[in-house]
Amino acid sequence: MKTITTTADLAAFCSEAAKHDYVTVDTEFLRERTYYSKLCLVQLAMPGTDDSNAVLMDPLAKDISLEPLYELFRDTSVVKVFHAARQDLEIFFVDAGVFPEPLFDTQVAAMVCGFGEQVGYETLVRKITNGGVDKTSRFTDWSRRPLTDAQKTYALADVTHLRQIYEFLAEKLEDSGRGRWVQEELAILTNPDTYVTQPREAWKRVKTRTNSGKFLGIVRELAAFREEYAQTRNVPRNRVFKDDALVELASLKPKNTEELSRSRLLLREARKGEIAEGILKGIAAGVACPPADLPKPDRSRDKLQVNPALADLLRVLLKAKTEQAGVAAKLIAPAADLDGIAAGLRDLPALSGWRREVFGNDALRLCNGEIALTAVGNDVKVVEV
């Protein structure tokens, strides 16, 4: 198997790949010790039935440039095929602001084609190619050189089987006319907002037991400091301080390093230096925040009057519709959205785009009393009222 370690060889491969309809892509990376993923390997394969058209590209090789790969990503005549592409796309977007276009994600396509929710690569290999994947090298250190033969074999399998999976799913989508459904989902994956975390919005991911604006004001400042610190130094946010310590600090509101040292949950390294200084400044800013500027939690669902009987009927309808369409139910609507529809909410994903065609239109008709559900043997049928 060939490993590319020079820009010239990468350019030659990408030039040849540009002559084909598609190329399969995968990556190996590390993220345990960094905020941003560290790209360690890129696997690429052109159409074919063996390994001769597949390569490994070493981004850690001295002086190699990824620009030829990015040029291939920009070439709209070649489909770039990934499986579960989100983390791969984040790497390329952060590095060069590039999204592969056009993009095909076999995990998304498989869910639309009835293979279940977030179906794994190994499952698709087994069901579509009747092959298998040795995953023993999955959690190895991909930054160490040289790579072992086992690592190379494992990595290459992630793009060679993907060719047959792509061809199978692409044909299935063509026959079913559901290609547009996949494109709607992929639009989210190629939206820069999906990969940009604004420090001032980071507080929304912190779970607290209160909706107090004053408390959340401190949480917002601490979360913003942590995010900025982690981003600028490329360290995991939990290495700065964890969520439980953040919530504890928002409750204790220490004013100096002596009070800060009384925290039970704060890491020892965070009790001094830049992190300690940032924590104290953040707490002070949160305490001093004017009431009008305090964060306002989303209470739009707090007072919803959910009709439990209608919610149960919507669940039955969803199960019937997704079984009929061969689509994963959670891809259409999570349980919280079904409760929202039953409570009168209408600005929900299940009521727009292709989801509305599969489920949303009948869900609204059910809410309006225009249709009913009846059991016919083991099946649930929709009947006009």
Side-chain angles (χ1 to χ4, degrees):
M1 63 190 73
K2 182 177 180 180
T3 300
I4 292 175
T5 58
T6 69
T7 304
D9 284 348
L10 177 60
F13 176 87
C14 292
S15 178
E16 186 63 28
K19 300 175 184 178
H20 296 272
D21 293 334
Y22 72 86
V23 60
T24 56
V25 189
D26 191 38
T27 70
E28 305 299 338
F29 56 88
L30 295 178
R31 198 170 190 169
E32 290 81 5
R33 298 185 294 272
T34 57
Y35 183 91
Y36 300 107
S37 297
K38 178 181 180 180
L39 181 62
C40 299
L41 194 68
V42 180
Q43 305 97 280
L44 301 157
M46 292 180 279
T49 58
D50 55 28
D51 294 349
S52 62
N53 285 342
V55 298
L56 306 176
M57 190 276 286
D58 187 355
L60 303 182
K62 186 177 180 181
D63 298 328
I64 194 169
S65 169
L66 299 190
E67 187 54 33
L69 178 64
Y70 295 147
E71 280 299 311
L72 180 61
F73 282 178
R74 298 183 187 103
D75 186 343
T76 57
S77 68
V78 183
V79 178
K80 272 65 70 171
V81 182
F82 292 74
H83 180 81
R86 191 189 188 287
Q87 290 183 296
D88 303 317
L89 298 185
E90 182 179 15
I91 291 172
F92 299 126
F93 175 72
V94 169
D95 183 56
V98 173
F99 286 119
E101 184 184 1
L103 170 70
F104 190 98
D105 188 322
T106 55
Q107 185 179 71
V108 175
M111 287 193 288
V112 168
C113 291
F115 282 86
E117 299 159 9
Q118 296 183 324
V119 60
Y121 181 67
E122 306 97 297
T123 301
L124 292 182
V125 170
R126 185 176 68 254
K127 290 186 175 181
I128 295 176
T129 75
N130 294 317
V133 178
D134 181 2
K135 307 300 285 187
T136 55
S137 296
R138 174 187 290 181
F139 298 113
T140 56
D141 185 350
W142 292 99
S143 67
R144 295 188 64 181
R145 295 296 183 269
L147 295 174
T148 66
D149 289 342
Q151 284 178 304
K152 292 179 180 180
T153 299
Y154 160 82
L156 209 62
D158 278 347
V159 287
T160 52
H161 293 301
L162 195 55
R163 298 176 295 195
Q164 189 175 344
I165 292 171
Y166 164 67
E167 292 173 3
F168 176 89
L169 292 174
E171 182 178 357
K172 197 171 181 67
L173 289 172
E174 179 69 23
D175 292 342
S176 64
R178 295 181 180 181
R180 178 175 55 83
W181 298 10
V182 174
Q183 291 308 311
E184 285 185 29
E185 299 304 300
L186 296 184
I188 299 172
L189 286 178
T190 55
N191 184 340
D193 292 342
T194 301
Y195 307 98
V196 176
T197 301
Q198 300 294 345
R200 299 295 294 177
E201 300 296 315
W203 68 275
K204 295 178 180 178
R205 294 198 310 267
V206 180
K207 294 182 179 180
T208 65
R209 295 182 178 180
T210 177
N211 285 327
S212 164
K214 291 183 178 180
F215 184 86
L216 292 177
I218 301 173
V219 170
R220 179 178 63 185
E221 298 299 327
L222 290 174
F225 162 71
R226 180 178 66 173
E227 205 72 23
E228 289 173 355
Y229 187 95
Q231 288 177 352
T232 56
R233 290 160 180 80
N234 195 23
V235 297
R237 62 176 65 90
N238 283 346
R239 293 284 181 91
V240 186
F241 48 84
K242 297 182 179 180
D243 281 2
D244 55 359
L246 188 155
V247 173
E248 180 194 47
L249 291 168
S251 178
L252 295 176
K253 298 186 284 292
K255 300 181 180 64
N256 50 54
T257 54
E258 181 182 351
E259 293 182 6
L260 188 65
S261 67
R262 297 171 188 165
S263 167
R264 293 185 304 107
L265 303 174
L266 192 62
L267 298 171
R268 186 179 301 276
E269 306 84 63
R271 302 179 186 219
K272 57 185 178 180
E274 287 183 292
I275 298 180
E277 182 180 341
I279 289 173
L280 294 174
K281 285 184 178 179
I283 291 172
V287 170
C289 183
D293 296 334
L294 291 171
K296 297 176 176 58
D298 182 7
R299 294 193 173 95
S300 60
R301 298 198 179 197
D302 288 357
K303 297 181 179 180
L304 287 180
Q305 299 297 315
V306 178
N307 181 330
L310 180 56
D312 286 343
L313 286 175
L314 287 168
R315 285 168 171 77
V316 174
L317 176 66
L318 177 63
K319 187 174 187 299
K321 286 291 184 178
T322 52
E323 287 181 352
Q324 178 183 345
V327 181
K330 285 188 178 179
L331 188 61
I332 300 287
D337 282 3
L338 296 178
D339 289 340
I341 295 172
L345 295 182
R346 295 297 178 259
D347 185 20
L348 295 167
L351 301 180
S352 64
W354 68 271
R355 291 174 173 82
R356 186 178 183 112
E357 297 174 23
V358 176
F359 169 73
N361 282 328
D362 277 346
L364 292 176
R365 295 179 69 206
L366 183 65
C367 292
N368 294 333
E370 299 171 8
I371 60 172
L373 303 178
T374 185
V376 180
N378 292 326
D379 298 326
V380 173
K381 301 292 185 182
V382 172
V383 295
E384 299 291 333
V385 174

